[in-house]
Amino acid sequence: ETGRRLDNLPRHSFNLWTSYQITPELLVGGGIQHVGSRDTQTPVGFFVVTVPSYTIGDLFAEYRITDSIRVRVNVLNITNETYFQSFFSNHSIPAPARSASATFTFDF
């Protein structure tokens, strides 16, 4: 197996994230993640299964109410891409669909 990539390991992947402070209270940002196609062999090794590449985007906004209180909203997988988070010879794990969460932070 010399020279063969490990199962579920893409040849190329990257993440790009940024944020921008619009006002002293409001921070917005987001990013994209790309994972190239991945291969895995069947349990008996007769053939290789290739999982397609995917690209997803995430966004967030954070508002500072006071110096110690912040609220943040995250939206993950904004395009609702269907893809496999992990894929192995005998099972696969589909990734979550578009989702959102809100976080309330209190610093003390």
Side-chain angles (χ1 to χ4, degrees):
E1 300 293 335
T2 302
R4 185 174 168 274
R5 278 185 288 151
L6 297 173
D7 277 0
N8 201 35
L9 182 67
R11 185 174 305 277
H12 305 287
S13 67
F14 72 87
N15 289 292
L16 177 66
W17 283 89
T18 188
S19 62
Y20 183 73
Q21 192 80 45
I22 294 177
T23 68
E25 298 83 19
L26 182 61
L27 175 69
V28 297
I32 59 171
Q33 175 187 19
H34 174 79
V35 176
S37 62
R38 296 159 289 155
D39 296 334
T40 187
Q41 280 193 318
T42 60
V44 290
F46 290 126
F47 59 92
V48 174
V49 176
T50 300
V51 181
S53 63
Y54 65 87
T55 303
I56 59 170
D58 302 329
L59 297 174
F60 78 88
E62 181 178 280
Y63 189 77
R64 181 175 292 278
I65 299 169
T66 68
D67 284 343
S68 60
I69 300 173
R70 298 184 314 272
V71 64
R72 181 180 182 124
V73 174
N74 291 293
V75 180
L76 307 176
N77 192 5
I78 59 174
T79 59
N80 205 26
E81 182 77 18
T82 301
Y83 64 98
F84 289 102
Q85 195 167 26
S86 295
F87 191 87
F88 298 97
S89 59
N90 59 352
H91 71 280
S92 61
I93 301 172
R98 179 186 308 121
S99 62
S101 64
T103 307
F104 181 79
T105 304
F106 179 74
D107 297 324
F108 56 94

